[in-house]
């Protein structure tokens, strides 16, 4: 099954010039969702201790993947959402900055963490998520995406971390 048939292109969302890759048709199709989790689980990142994913669309794939693999799930969230002690990493957006947070005790030294998000664009969000995992002493096993916009330098930005995606858009 080619998962790209379950993505919808929405031009000029959320602003003019952006071609938004809408994953809601994929979410609405249980066979396609099952296949996306099967394909993510089949990627070989070696030994993985837990799955971490980025709010909010990353959760839609991260949680089922963790359950499928029999691993725990760690949420990475926007500032102010996590209730316990957090580490924070800021990253640069086109205009201004944003930040992501993780619970300090969510991952620890010696653990290999697989990071998951729906889509890789510039890599800014995932780059910050990798730094967060490392700020807790854990190791990034790799970064897995459902969709990769390969015409943007996201993959290069995440080097030397291993990057895999199910649908590559050139
Ligand atoms: P980036 O930090 O630039 O790699 O952006 C990644 C995040 O922004 C992902 O969590 C995506 O959900 C979202 N995103 C960025 N560009 C797009 C796009 N063209 N279509 C859909 N989502 C996008």
């Amino acid at each position: 099954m080619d998962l790209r048939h379950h993505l919808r292109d929405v031009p000029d969302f959320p602003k003019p010039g952006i071609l938004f890759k809408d994953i809601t048709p994929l979410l609405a199709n249980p066979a396609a969702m099952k296949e996306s989790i099967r394909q993510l689980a089949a990627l070989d990142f070696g030994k993985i201790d837990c799955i971490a994913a980025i709010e909010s669309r990353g959760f839609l794939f991260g949680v089922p993947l963790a359950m499928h693999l029999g691993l725990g799930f760690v949420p990475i969230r926007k500032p102010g959402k996590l209730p316990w002690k957090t580490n924070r990493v800021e990253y640069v957006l086109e205009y201004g900055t944003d930040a992501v947070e993780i619970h300090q005790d969510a991952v620890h030294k010696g653990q290999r963490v697989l990071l998951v998000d729906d889509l890789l664009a510039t890599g800014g969000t995932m780059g910050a998520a990798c730094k967060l995992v490392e700020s807790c002493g854990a190791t990034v096993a790799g970064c897995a995406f459902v969709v990769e916009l390969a015409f943007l330098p996201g993959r290069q930005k995440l080097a030397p971390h291993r990057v895999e995606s199910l649908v590559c858009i050139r």
Side-chain angles (χ1 to χ4, degrees):
M1 182 192 293
D2 191 343
L3 296 174
R4 76 183 62 225
H5 300 313
H6 298 279
L7 304 171
R8 172 168 52 197
D9 285 350
V10 183
D12 300 319
F13 183 88
K15 53 187 179 183
I18 303 286
L19 182 61
F20 193 84
K21 294 287 171 182
D22 177 19
I23 58 163
T24 61
L26 177 59
L27 296 172
N29 185 315
M33 271 307 280
K34 219 171 173 175
E35 176 62 12
S36 68
I37 300 306
R38 191 195 67 74
Q39 289 188 21
L40 286 169
L43 300 172
D44 184 11
F45 288 95
K47 176 182 166 287
I48 304 166
D49 297 298
C50 68
I51 304 291
I54 304 163
E55 179 180 0
S56 60
R57 285 188 290 270
F59 293 179
L60 301 170
F61 299 94
V63 170
L65 177 62
M67 291 177 68
H68 185 92
L69 294 172
L71 298 172
F73 175 79
V74 172
I76 291 174
R77 300 206 62 183
K78 293 292 166 71
K81 303 283 189 184
L82 289 170
W84 185 240
K85 294 171 190 167
T86 55
N87 287 355
R88 175 187 292 203
V89 170
E90 291 193 354
Y91 58 100
V92 178
L93 296 173
E94 198 177 348
Y95 303 109
T97 62
D98 208 342
V100 280
E101 294 184 344
I102 193 170
H103 275 156
Q104 286 173 2
D105 59 358
V107 295
H108 54 81
K109 192 170 187 309
Q111 284 191 313
R112 284 172 51 81
V113 181
L114 175 62
L115 286 133
V116 177
D117 204 359
D118 67 324
L119 183 138
L120 173 61
T122 65
T125 315
M126 184 57 91
C130 289
K131 286 188 185 136
L132 268 185
V133 164
E134 290 170 338
S135 77
C136 298
T139 298
V140 174
C143 307
F145 300 90
V146 178
V147 186
E148 174 180 358
L149 304 183
F151 51 86
L152 294 173
R155 180 177 281 270
Q156 293 86 317
K157 175 150 191 149
L158 295 175
H161 297 306
R162 184 153 160 228
V163 174
E164 297 286 351
S165 57
L166 305 185
V167 175
C168 196
I169 294 167
R170 296 185 187 281

